[in-house]
Amino acid sequence: VVRVAQAYFDVLAAEDTLGAAQATLDAFSRQLEQAEKRFEVGLIAVTDVQEMYALVTEHIGYNSRDVRVLSDEPLIGSGTVHSESPTKANIFAAMTWLVEGASAGDSCFFFFAGHGHHMPDVNGDEISGMDQVLYPVDLTSAGCILDDHIYERLVRGVPPGVRLTAVVDACKSGT
């Protein structure tokens, strides 16, 4: 009887362990499904923007009033940060703002997290024959942002002695 009772309790314990393992697996599956849905609709970039904002303001030391954030979602805990929708016009304006007041010894940082692609080169300046492009939120009405536009507004606009760091996290862009 004791062995039968012990075997019965062992089975119950195993069922509890199996149930807990199944619940954990179900939770991970739901988290994965939610992450995949957020990725499909482009919300993952918002997390990248939030993490980069925290990095440059809390760890690198940029003052939040010297940071412009363009995001189609509000930043969590961003306080009074300057934030606008990442339309083509706003992205161009932010690029101009970033470099126009810079002087020798300044350090400028540009970060883009979003969608991109490539298309046939429009002016023959690409060895690959392809222009790299970024997609603003108003892509269908305003069009894409060519790598040539980025060069003109950011790189060419940087005064001598200013350091410009640009990080672009855009799928399929290659920028």
Side-chain angles (χ1 to χ4, degrees), residues 41-152:
V41 297
L43 293 180
I44 297 302
V46 172
T47 304
D48 293 339
V49 171
Q50 290 171 337
E51 290 176 358
M52 188 59 72
Y53 178 80
L55 176 72
V56 300
T57 58
E58 296 170 19
H59 300 287
I60 296 176
Y62 281 86
N63 190 311
S64 62
R65 72 175 171 267
D66 295 329
V67 176
R68 297 288 161 109
V69 175
L70 304 182
S71 176
D72 50 357
E73 293 287 325
L75 294 183
I76 297 169
S78 62
T80 59
V81 66
H82 179 90
S83 183
E84 297 177 293
S85 180
T87 64
K88 186 175 184 177
N90 286 347
I91 292 171
F92 283 165
M95 288 177 177
T96 301
W97 169 84
L98 181 63
V99 298
E100 74 181 349
S103 58
D106 286 346
S107 179
C108 299
F109 184 79
F110 175 82
F111 174 69
F112 178 89
H115 298 286
H117 216 286
H118 51 271
M119 59 184 266
D121 185 8
V122 297
N123 63 1
D125 67 333
E126 303 289 344
I127 294 172
S128 66
M130 303 296 282
D131 273 321
Q132 310 309 310
V133 299
L134 302 179
Y135 290 165
V137 294
D138 58 347
L139 172 70
T140 57
S141 61
C144 61
I145 299 173
L146 293 171
D147 54 1
D148 299 331
H149 299 150
I150 297 168
Y151 177 81
E152 288 299 320

